[in-house]
Amino acid sequence: MASGISRRAALGVTAAAAAVAAGTTGGPAHAFAGGGLRGIAALYARQKAKAGGTWHSHIAALDGTGALTTLVADDADHVIHGYSVQKLFVATAVLDKVDRGQLSLGQKLDLPADIILGGSGIYHLHTVWGDDITVANFLTAMLLVSDNTAVRMCGRVVPALEINEILAAKGFTHTRVEPVANPNRFFLGVTTPRETHDLLRRLADKTLLSPASCDFMLGVTRWVNGYHDGVRRNMSSAERSRVATKYGADFNTLGASRHEAGIMFGTDGAPVLTYALFADGLSDLDNYGATHPAVQAHAVLGRAMLDSVTTAANPAAKARHTVTPYRAGG
């Protein structure tokens, strides 16, 4: 059971969880450089001890034959508040309706003032509201800059009970949003590292949703304007574009929570590694920046994980995804 009571009682989006592993290059049975599997596991243990708190994680990769290898399985079935990592799963529910022809990415909804939430995101910064925005618009805001108002927009097109039905139909046992009296609002809810791993794995091999919907989610979460403080901190822009990531942070009665989950891709577009890092009971409650001890641990692990997987072509990969190289302009 999840423990601790979230302070974020205005939106709630529980996420079905489940995460990914992905393909690396051909070559040795385990195509990892440096310390290989043991190197990542040992580094994780050191960073976990240094950051403190209670960690629940799953890290896995595919070798050159397509076989899944678990690098870290640390209390991976623990049910935990996922916070903004859960927005991956809310987006999955919305895109499932798109795939079934009940919505379209181009469908427009108004953005009224009474739906605006503060915290992370961009819509609350506008100071004036009333635009008509597309489903694609608020999904992008939710996945790229973790916009809280976008969660409410999602609830207008997929009510809480329907989100949970979609997640259950996709095989997620523990991940759910928490319904409230208003059927179009919900709390973030809970997930597990293992279910987050499964979601990411299926997103990477494009079986979670239609290939087009998977490409949409991956395109947004891989873009270099997203979150950089954690796993992607110590990377070049080209390296950052090889990582699809989603961060979540809050605090409850146990202490601070700092989570991050995502997928790393090889230079050939094949997925190579998946991580689902959840930690609660942490100190430094009000520090949401790069200096938080758990976020520093994510940065160390991110650099090591990217370095640990080879980047040559992996013919065993079921699916690939590429993004346009970033070019500054304007």
Side-chain angles (χ1 to χ4, degrees), residues 286-309:
D286 295 323
N287 181 1
Y288 293 94
T291 60
H292 191 282
V295 178
Q296 291 180 321
H298 295 166
V300 173
L301 286 165
R303 182 70 255 176
M305 288 189 296
L306 192 67
D307 288 341
S308 73
V309 293

Side-chain angles (χ1 to χ4, degrees), residues 20 53 74 125 151 164 170 183 206 211 233 237 239-240 243 273 294 312 330:
V20 66
D74 182 8
L125 300 173
V151 176
N164 284 342
K170 291 187 177 295
K206 302 185 183 181
R233 188 193 312 177
S237 57
E239 289 172 329
R240 286 174 173 174
V243 182
L273 184 145

